[in-house]
Amino acid sequence: MKQRGPSNFKRQVSPGLAAVMVIAVLVVVQYVWYVGLVKKPTTPMGQPKSGGAPPPANKELLLHGKDYIVVDTIAGDLDPGNADGPGYKARFDRPTGLAIDPAGVLIIADSGNNSIRSMRPDGVVTTLAGNGTPGKVDGAASNAQFKYPTGVCVGADGTIYVADTGNNAIRAIKAGQVTTIAVAGKGGIPNGAYSPVSIAFKSDNSHGGTLLVADAAGKAVWELQTGGGVIAKNVLAAAPTSVSANGDAIFCLPQAGMLQIGSGQTQNAYIAGSDELDDVKRRPRLSHPLNAIHLGTAVAAVDAAHTCVFLVKNGRAEVLAGLASSAGPAHDYKDGNGEAAFFNQPTGLATDGKRVIYVADTASCCIRRLTAPDFLFH
């Protein structure tokens, strides 16, 4: 498939891209970081969208996104690398966790580059911390070292907190300095069964703010003070891959097929349009949710079983952008409206709360931008 990007992306996607690197975020107690090459499924492109008569039992069901969503690549390129700059000149290597600071700047955990990056709303990318070498070094941000960071959040005072997964540590970036505020084996956190993969900041008058840390190995969410002291450990039904705290906390438990939103749960939610298949077992579902954030009165989510962005409300999921297929993930890359766009491996999510949803398309080494009508944000 060839597709020319938007006017500020003067390059074409090579049709010879037969395999892409993906980062494994489905985790169990024995946590595995990277998987090898994942072959693109041979999903036929250009098939009609779902609708009309139900497909025959041996045909796959394709559920496309909305034509009122606009998807474009705001920064990065399909070729991995490590470079600051505007738009397509910037390079990432498997970006994962995302967060937004009060000024609308996107904070990015650039896992493959062992660094924390920032991106302005106009697409200009800057390295905030990390020299690119995997390790664990505190101090000046430019000399600091991380090891496969996968989660980021921003505190009330602008401090950036990092789930430094490869180091089993929580790091903080403030005033150009990196410090370690929590690490396995110290401060009440056990040594060994602890793998922080996502982090969120929750306003809390009694503690001046609380950090929620998704611990994949421990199948728990830890509540930490911003200085690192343990407040509580909350054991979950399965290993979490993400936590969000803008409103009721959201936990993604892919092994259980579950989105836990506050005290409620959405499990194995069917995708709108899936009832066109008579075979219930083949109907596409939100079966392995990886990441989710609040979007107005609903939730935006990505799922390991599908390469698209979902809107989840009242226990039901619908495709906002990309393709959900009964045949499994349709790995590809294409900008356009939500109906025509494709993603390779969407993982991280963040929103400006106005018109934009940012997506870390990990295997494409890009940051994608979804522009949506404002009614979705209210």
Side-chain angles (χ1 to χ4, degrees):
M1 164 182 287
K2 287 187 177 181
Q3 186 251 343
R4 188 177 298 276
S7 59
N8 63 330
F9 288 84
K10 299 187 181 300
R11 47 99 171 98
Q12 290 183 324
V13 178
S14 170
L17 185 65
V20 293
M21 291 295 296
V22 301
I23 185 170
V25 288
L26 290 174
V27 287
V28 290
V29 175
Q30 293 181 343
Y31 191 72
V32 179
W33 274 108
Y34 293 102
V35 294
L37 296 174
V38 175
K39 215 169 197 177
K40 283 185 183 178
T42 55
T43 303
M45 297 299 127
Q47 290 195 10
K49 66 178 180 177
S50 167
N58 61 341
K59 297 293 185 180
E60 61 186 272
L61 177 64
L62 305 179
L63 301 173
H64 293 258
K66 311 298 184 184
D67 59 8
Y68 57 74
I69 302 290
V70 177
V71 180
D72 69 332
T73 302
I74 187 170
D77 187 87
L78 288 174
D79 296 324
N82 190 358
D84 291 340
Y88 79 95
K89 291 185 178 180
R91 292 292 184 273
F92 302 95
D93 186 356
R94 289 156 289 172
T96 51
L98 303 178
I100 294 273
D101 78 3
V105 174
L106 187 69
I107 310 300
I108 304 158
D110 191 356
S111 300
N113 282 320
N114 304 293
S115 60
I116 307 302
R117 318 285 292 279
S118 71
M119 187 193 76
R120 297 187 330 216
D122 61 2
V124 175
V125 175
T126 303
T127 299
L128 293 177
N131 63 10
T133 302
K136 185 177 175 296
V137 176
D138 288 339
S142 59
N143 295 323
Q145 292 180 354
F146 300 86
K147 189 175 182 182
Y148 313 133
T150 59
V152 286
C153 71
V154 182
D157 64 353
T159 300
I160 298 169
Y161 298 95
V162 181
D164 190 4
T165 313
N167 284 317
N168 295 329
I170 303 301
R171 317 283 293 278
I173 306 169
K174 184 177 183 180
Q177 296 290 313
V178 175
T179 57
T180 300
I181 64 170
V183 66
K186 294 182 179 180
I189 297 175
N191 198 6
Y194 177 71
S195 292
V197 294
S198 179
I199 189 168
F201 177 83
K202 182 179 181 180
S203 296
D204 186 333
N205 292 333
S206 62
H207 296 287
T210 300
L211 299 176
L212 303 181
V213 179
D215 174 8
K219 296 183 180 180
V221 169
W222 293 81
E223 297 179 38
L224 305 180
Q225 295 176 354
T226 53
V230 173
I231 300 170
K233 177 184 179 182
N234 304 294
V235 177
L236 302 176
T241 52
S242 74
V243 57
S244 174
N246 185 16
D248 289 338
I250 304 175
F251 311 127
C252 288
L253 310 176
Q255 296 298 321
M258 185 186 297
L259 275 174
Q260 186 168 320
I261 306 169
S263 59
Q265 295 177 349
T266 296
Q267 190 165 19
N268 292 315
Y270 284 108
I271 300 168
S274 63
D275 53 4
E276 293 185 22
L277 281 177
D278 290 333
D279 186 350
V280 175
K281 293 181 180 179
R282 294 184 60 233
R283 291 179 181 176
R285 296 178 300 165
L286 198 71
S287 56
H288 292 84
L290 292 177
N291 206 328
I293 58 173
H294 284 284
L295 195 67
T297 58
V299 166
V302 292
D303 186 285
H306 306 285
T307 49
C308 55
V309 179
F310 292 98
L311 185 72
V312 183
K313 191 171 184 178
N314 298 326
R316 189 80 167 175
E318 59 180 308
V319 182
L320 275 183
L323 173 68
S325 168
S326 58
H331 300 283
D332 218 317
Y333 171 89
K334 184 182 179 182
D335 286 332
N337 65 30
E339 187 178 55
F342 285 90
F343 299 87
N344 260 319
Q345 190 70 25
T347 54
L349 291 169
T351 179
D352 66 356
K354 299 173 184 176
R355 295 285 303 275
V356 174
I357 304 168
Y358 294 105
V359 180
D361 194 353
T362 302
S364 293
C365 298
C366 293
I367 303 300
R368 314 286 293 276
R369 175 175 58 186
L370 278 62
T371 305
D374 59 6
F375 71 81
L376 284 178
F377 299 85
H378 300 290

